[in-house]
Amino acid sequence: MKVLVLTQYFWPESFRINEVVESLIAVGCQVTVLTGQPNYPQGKVFKGYRAFGFGSELHKTGYKIVRVPLAARGKAGAFGLIANYLSFVFSTSLIGPMLLKGQQFDIIFVYAPSPIIQAIGALLIGKIKKAKVVVWIQDLWPQSLEATGFVKNKFLLASVSSVVRWIYRKSDLLLVQSQAFSPSVQKMAGTTPVRYHPNPGEIAFASFDNSQTVALHLDDGFNVVFAGNLGTVQALDTVISAAQILLPYPEIKIILVGSGSLSAWLASEIQRRNISNVVMPGRFPVEAMPGILNQASALLVSLSKNPIMSQTVPSKIQVYLATGKPIIACLDGEGARIIEQAGAGLACEAENAPELAQRILTLYQLPKETLKEMGNAGLKFYESHFEPNTLAENLKKHFELVLTNK
């Protein structure tokens, strides 16, 4: 089966789709990737690439990556982001077919975190190549635009909604990363089938062992680690408010590993409020994360309080489950449900700092054996629901079903 993976974000950027491609190859798919010039998250094109360059390269493991021109994000201001998004749509739609001339594909698979409009290029290429288009939806549009405050104009939101509806209805199959997405997506999708396909965990965690060198050593004590993007939707003001409540317990530390739009604000706020139990060591490459998370006493995931966020399953939940560590979930809806169903930790209402502080304190006071049981329960749930190789086989089956429904 020949698969073209279309994704705006790809290696050497750190996104889950990188490993999904490896997993698809492992289950027998012939994969080519169509992507842009790497520039996330710093907003500057990576060394060795040019924003308006195009052509192909071979990944170190042997598959072809075709790159189209892309306007870099810059400092993630509104104009820079819009230019970034639209340039990828135009490049994949106009230049993509030329770069792929003479190549045939059975499936065009779109990895679709925001923005969903990247699927437009896939639909055009699919028509040219007579290939089926499968879109893997990671965010709900236009709801996510409204939830993050990026777009507030009602007319513009309605226009985006019309485009999304068109994309959904022109696709051959829609996959959703959260079961809670299904009703909203199906309502807009018309007769296009919608199926659940979760994000897998990261292969790096399966190969980690304690003998490997770690990039960051955590101090002794009860270390609650948050890893990932430090942005608005992560509700990190709630996290530092909970940390302030926990100041009387000096053994408890909250470690914010990562970077994002709120990094500078968080650092200044921590200093202003004299919150001595929060540490911000910065961002680390994905291959370093197993060694860091393996040292944690507990792992923290948080999201803002919003109906759309409650339907989302942050991809870090799969990562956390794979570590075998207890999890604290300060969020509503689907993500909290998974943690509770797995028996992997404790959940509390989104943006509720006193409740979050109490959940952290509860874990801190539990016997180590109980914490270990929670972690083991999470690992068992991960292996039965999010193991990468199993999900790659399932993804291939989705493709095969689409191809048989000609």
Side-chain angles (χ1 to χ4, degrees):
M1 184 187 302
K2 295 181 179 179
V3 180
L4 175 67
V5 174
L6 187 148
T7 170
Q8 181 165 338
Y9 310 100
F10 197 69
W11 176 88
E13 298 166 319
S14 296
F15 280 84
R16 192 58 45 82
I17 188 62
N18 301 354
E19 291 192 340
V20 172
V21 166
E22 301 279 354
S23 296
L24 281 173
I25 293 170
V27 298
C29 295
Q30 298 178 45
V31 179
T32 300
V33 178
L34 179 62
T35 188
Q37 306 298 327
N39 67 108
Y40 183 92
Q42 293 89 354
K44 295 181 179 180
V45 175
F46 286 26
K47 186 177 180 180
Y49 296 89
R50 294 179 296 113
F52 296 102
F54 58 88
S56 62
E57 63 179 300
L58 284 181
H59 187 268
K60 58 186 177 182
T61 57
Y63 61 87
K64 182 188 286 187
I65 303 172
V66 179
R67 296 192 184 273
V68 295
L70 183 85
R73 298 164 65 91
K75 295 184 179 179
F79 178 79
L81 285 175
I82 292 170
N84 176 249
Y85 297 161
L86 292 180
S87 66
F88 185 71
V89 174
F90 286 127
S91 288
T92 51
S93 300
L94 301 177
I95 301 175
M98 291 188 291
L99 296 177
L100 297 169
K101 187 176 180 180
Q103 301 179 54
Q104 293 301 314
F105 303 99
D106 302 302
I107 295 287
I108 299 178
F109 178 52
V110 184
Y111 175 66
S114 293
I116 187 68
I117 56 173
Q118 65 186 282
I120 293 172
L123 292 170
L124 178 62
I125 296 170
K127 190 170 184 178
I128 294 170
K129 303 289 185 182
K130 295 181 172 56
K132 299 291 186 179
V133 176
V134 179
V135 181
W136 191 17
I137 299 168
Q138 301 289 316
D139 292 308
L140 291 177
W141 268 45
Q143 298 95 320
S144 291
L145 289 175
E146 190 172 13
T148 58
F150 188 75
V151 176
K152 298 179 181 178
N153 183 280
K154 296 297 182 183
F155 175 78
L156 187 54
L157 288 169
S159 300
V160 172
S161 182
S162 296
V163 173
V164 173
R165 186 178 292 107
W166 179 82
I167 290 171
Y168 286 176
R169 297 187 179 198
K170 291 295 183 180
S171 301
D172 296 291
L173 174 64
L174 301 172
L175 300 176
V176 291
Q177 62 100 325
S178 167
Q179 290 180 353
F181 281 10
S182 294
S184 296
V185 172
Q186 191 67 75
K187 185 177 180 181
M188 300 178 73
T191 58
T192 304
V194 179
R195 300 191 187 114
Y196 171 59
H197 184 78
N199 283 308
E202 291 185 13
I203 297 170
F205 283 83
S207 60
F208 175 75
D209 66 73
N210 290 325
S211 66
Q212 292 177 230
T213 303
V214 295
L216 172 68
H217 289 275
L218 304 186
D219 293 336
D220 293 338
F222 192 83
N223 293 304
V224 179
V225 176
F226 174 100
N229 184 46
L230 306 182
T232 306
V233 299
Q234 282 73 37
L236 295 168
D237 52 337
T238 301
V239 174
I240 62 171
S241 293
Q244 190 167 27
I245 296 170
L246 292 168
L247 282 172
Y249 302 89
E251 281 203 350
I252 299 176
K253 295 281 193 305
I254 295 178
I255 320 295
L256 303 179
V257 181
S259 63
S261 60
L262 291 186
S263 293
W265 178 85
L266 284 166
S268 63
E269 191 69 4
I270 288 166
Q271 184 177 21
R272 183 184 71 83
R273 293 162 65 173
N274 195 26
I275 303 174
S276 58
N277 56 354
V278 177
V279 180
M280 294 179 62
R283 187 182 187 91
F284 291 83
V286 65
E287 57 269 18
M289 294 312 298
I292 296 172
L293 299 189
N294 192 56
Q295 301 173 68
S297 306
L299 300 171
L300 172 64
V301 55
S302 64
L303 284 178
S304 58
K305 194 171 187 63
N306 182 284
I308 301 307
M309 294 299 107
S310 71
Q311 297 177 55
T312 299
V313 179
S315 59
K316 65 166 59 71
I317 285 182
Q318 286 90 329
V319 172
Y320 286 1
L321 290 168
T323 66
K325 297 288 183 177
I327 300 169
I328 302 163
C330 184
L331 43 79
D332 300 326
E334 193 68 7
R337 183 193 66 77
I338 288 174
I339 301 302
E340 292 175 336
Q341 181 184 348
L346 302 176
C348 69
E349 180 187 25
E351 296 189 13
N352 191 321
E355 279 195 14
L356 174 56
Q358 185 58 52
R359 296 301 187 276
I360 294 172
L361 187 58
T362 297
L363 284 189
Y364 168 65
Q365 294 172 335
L366 285 175
K368 289 185 178 180
E369 189 58 37
T370 303
L371 296 178
K372 187 175 181 180
E373 289 172 1
M374 284 182 175
N376 288 339
L379 180 57
K380 185 177 180 181
F381 191 87
Y382 164 82
E383 290 171 345
S384 61
H385 290 79
F386 304 119
E387 197 279 321
N389 293 327
T390 301
L391 287 180
E393 290 282 3
N394 291 345
L395 185 55
K396 185 180 178 183
K397 289 175 184 176
H398 286 309
F399 295 164
E400 291 169 345
L401 285 172
V402 170
L403 292 174
T404 56
N405 292 330
K406 292 184 178 180

